[in-house]
Amino acid sequence: TLTAPAPFADETSCQCQAPHEKLTIAQARLGTPVDRPVRVYADGIFDLFHAGHARALMQAKTLFPNSYLLVGVCSDDLTHKFKGFTVMNETERYEALRHCRYVDEVIRDAPWTLTPEFLEKHKIDFVAHDDIPYSSAGSDDVYKHIKEAGMFVPTQRTEGISTSDIITRIVRDYDVYARRNLQRGYTAKELNVSFISEKKYRFQNHVDKMKEKVKNVEEKSKEFVYKVEEKSHDLIQKWEEKSREFIGNFLELFGPDGAWKQMFQERSGRMLQAFSPRQSPNSSPTRGRSPSRSPSPPWVINKASPPSSPKAASASLSSMSEGDEDEK
């Protein structure tokens, strides 16, 4: 388990316990010698340390079953002299290499061209680098003598990423990064930006903020409309369900065979019975004559039923007088 960064070469001693004997690639691939790891060396500038660097070091570390990877990093003076200005200084580049999981040891201020003395000092068995000829310092290939000595082991470059590609992106999108850093609190002096450019970038930042606000308002309005549509759909669905239930209940109550019709018929029948009751039978004692009373004489006038008209009254009087005469 890795718990600490890789040590610097000048702060530790060589870990080889046996005399350093020259190995062939075939022997190294078999895992010999058994008493020590195969010491592999990889060097570079490692500016803006990225995945391409890490993959190259991974390949160098896994070239042999048992290996110890030493990584040489060139100083700022040497790099600026032969290659150009770097984004990261040498201290930052050293530290970036120390925290790569494949690195066992970092050699600071590594030489541009590997000398036999340097190889012997660090007991290097093989040098790992991509196989593309690296022309520099007046040489067509600085690894030519390493290849001739049979100590060179090639690695594969990772396409699509390099320090130059990253710098190209920054230069291409310079305005974007300048505006971003101004917004984060960096001054125009720190960014080496002119007064006019600073005002232009700040104005563009304000415009972008307004666009972002408008975009947020549009998104919120769309979300609100969506919620309203969803709610209205739910309400319509619930209304349809309730309306079906209401119509069904209405038909059950007021339909042709509904409960209300039956109830109305029952009540109307009761009312008709109340207004026109059935007649009593002839043998009813209330309608028969009482046996103890004799029929009333014809001259007795029923006070309870007066004559309906004067003519009827005169007729009854004449009949009464005729009866009297017959009796006399």
Side-chain angles (χ1 to χ4, degrees), residues 8 10-11 14 24 28 39 46 51 79 83 91 102 168 187-188 223 244 271 281 299 314 324 328:
F8 291 120
D10 53 0
E11 295 178 354
C14 181
T24 64
R39 296 175 66 84
F46 301 106
T79 304
K83 191 169 184 177
T91 303
Y102 309 111
T168 301
T187 64
E223 184 179 357
R244 293 193 192 99
M271 292 176 68
W299 61 85
S314 61
D324 292 339
K328 289 180 181 181

Side-chain angles (χ1 to χ4, degrees), residues 65 134 311:
Y134 193 82
K311 291 181 179 181

